[in-house]
Amino acid sequence: MIGTNECMLKNGFKMLFGTTVFGYLFDYRMKLAGRYLSNTDKTIQEIACLVGYEHQSHFTTAFKRKFCVSPQQYRASLCRGTVYRNIMERA
């Protein structure tokens, strides 16, 4: 798209995907974090780094904002077999 400015690209992205570029990236990172929590034994700190957070506390806050449970609570629910229903559906 020659001659397309940043604003037009952002508007086109939002129209196509129904969210902003930042929102899309945030959702992707949180869904990826959920997969790491479910399928690996990596620490919360390691997962935070893998999905692009320098500080575990920032990652935990973002995860909780997205899924209404902390990464620790989510992982514990997997171990107990009481997985939060449809948590990853929100992603």
Side-chain angles (χ1 to χ4, degrees):
M1 298 177 106
I2 297 174
T4 303
N5 64 29
E6 183 179 344
C7 184
M8 287 184 68
L9 284 172
K10 286 179 181 179
N11 288 338
F13 186 94
K14 189 168 185 175
M15 197 175 350
L16 185 62
F17 292 101
T19 187
T20 64
V21 175
F22 177 78
Y24 184 87
L25 181 59
F26 176 75
D27 289 345
Y28 175 80
R29 291 165 77 188
M30 292 298 106
K31 190 177 282 191
L32 185 59
R35 286 191 201 123
Y36 281 128
L37 288 165
S38 299
N39 302 322
T40 71
D41 292 329
K42 294 184 183 305
T43 66
I44 304 299
Q45 178 65 45
E46 289 173 316
I47 293 170
C49 288
L50 285 170
V51 298
Y53 286 88
E54 186 175 347
H55 302 287
Q56 179 180 337
S57 61
H58 295 173
F59 165 69
T60 299
T61 300
F63 192 91
K64 192 168 185 176
R65 185 176 72 228
K66 177 71 178 169
F67 298 116
C68 301
V69 294
S70 71
Q72 296 85 348
Q73 290 170 322
Y74 177 73
R75 181 171 270 169
S77 76
L78 293 171
C79 294
R80 287 191 312 266
T82 57
V83 180
Y84 290 96
R85 298 280 178 206
N86 300 322
I87 193 170
M88 299 316 288
E89 303 263 331
R90 297 182 201 163

